[in-house]
Amino acid sequence: MVVEKLSETELDRLFQAFADSTRRDIVRRVTVGEYSVSGLAALYAMSFAAVQKHVAVLERASLVTKEKRGRGQIVRGNHEGLQKARRLLDEYEHIWRQRAVRIAGILAED
Amino acid sequence: MVVEKLSETELDRLFQAFADSTRRDIVRRVTVGEYSVSGLAALYAMSFAAVQKHVAVLERASLVTKEKRGRGQIVRGNHEGLQKARRLLDEYEHIWRQRAVRIAGILAED
DNA sequence: ATAACGTGCAACCAAATGGTTGTAGAAAAG
DNA sequence: CTTTTCTACAACCATTTGGTTGCACGTTAT
């Protein structure tokens, strides 16, 4: 199995992208259905430009993709980015579990 | 099973905490062993105060805890915070999978 | 008692973030 | 062709972030 290495700045961008509730909501929505940028903008109490910026942050973090369709641009979720974030947290969990096992082993030595 | 609800600001703090490579490294280290704040500070090419701030960010996000011991203060990993972050990403994955199943279902209707 | 160590905190600074408004271009509708 | 719609982008502003230095205070060591 090829364990694709994640660069640190890539991870910075990924977690930074998740660190805003509006962006988390956008990810949720575009995972379920398709939305144009203006379609998303209509959902939130902020300017179009603000939502546009949030989408740009998500795009830079590889969590969504944009695709031109007619006069608009549709936003889709990108499963790969999500998996990368999950993979890192899984790694931490693994480290944690190893540590728990080691401690149990030490305690058993008495 | 009680599915403890995570507040949005709690999630903001959690992901924000992960969005810095120094902080991710600190989490990794304190999960494996025990470190004082100054012990951590010695590891990075930045001032003690900077590391102290990173630890404070992690503490606010419930990813680490601090405990006074003698003249120093030891930093430990907090499994609960890590699990919360993982749980959210799992939720997204679940939504994604449901969607994949639904699309497969639609295609099968032909 | 004095010196050294570990920590917390405040003040400061540059850069990034999250928002705004305004302008401009490309595609669709009239 | 003109108007409307959707998008992109620049300029601007306030706040937060990530770093610094300096000072104060409690704890350990000499």
Side-chain angles (χ1 to χ4, degrees), chain A residues 14-50:
Chain A
L14 251 173
F15 286 111
Q16 183 59 44
F18 276 116
D20 179 283
S21 64
T22 302
R23 286 196 293 263
R24 287 192 299 273
D25 193 66
I26 291 176
V27 170
R28 238 175 265 124
R29 291 187 186 265
V30 302
T31 297
V32 173
E34 285 188 354
Y35 286 83
S36 65
V37 181
S38 57
L40 286 169
L43 299 169
Y44 309 102
M46 67 183 76
S47 70
F48 173 83

Side-chain angles (χ1 to χ4, degrees), chain A residues 13-14 17-18 20 22-37 40 44 51-68 73-85, chain B residues 92 96 99:
Chain A
R13 283 200 274 249
L14 251 173
F18 276 116
D20 179 283
T22 302
R23 286 196 293 263
R24 287 192 299 273
D25 193 66
I26 291 176
V27 170
R28 238 175 265 124
R29 291 187 186 265
V30 302
T31 297
V32 173
E34 285 188 354
Y35 286 83
S36 65
V37 181
L40 286 169
Y44 309 102
V51 174
Q52 199 182 340
K53 279 193 186 181
H54 281 307
V55 172
V57 170
L58 291 170
E59 202 180 8
R60 238 170 53 101
S62 307
L63 280 170
V64 306
T65 58
K66 278 191 300 190
E67 191 183 335
K68 274 177 207 156
Q73 190 132 229
I74 70 157
V75 183
R76 285 214 196 76
N78 179 8
H79 199 187
E80 213 182 305
L82 187 55
Q83 283 185 319
K84 283 183 184 176
Chain B
Y92 281 77
W96 198 284
R99 180 204 173 211

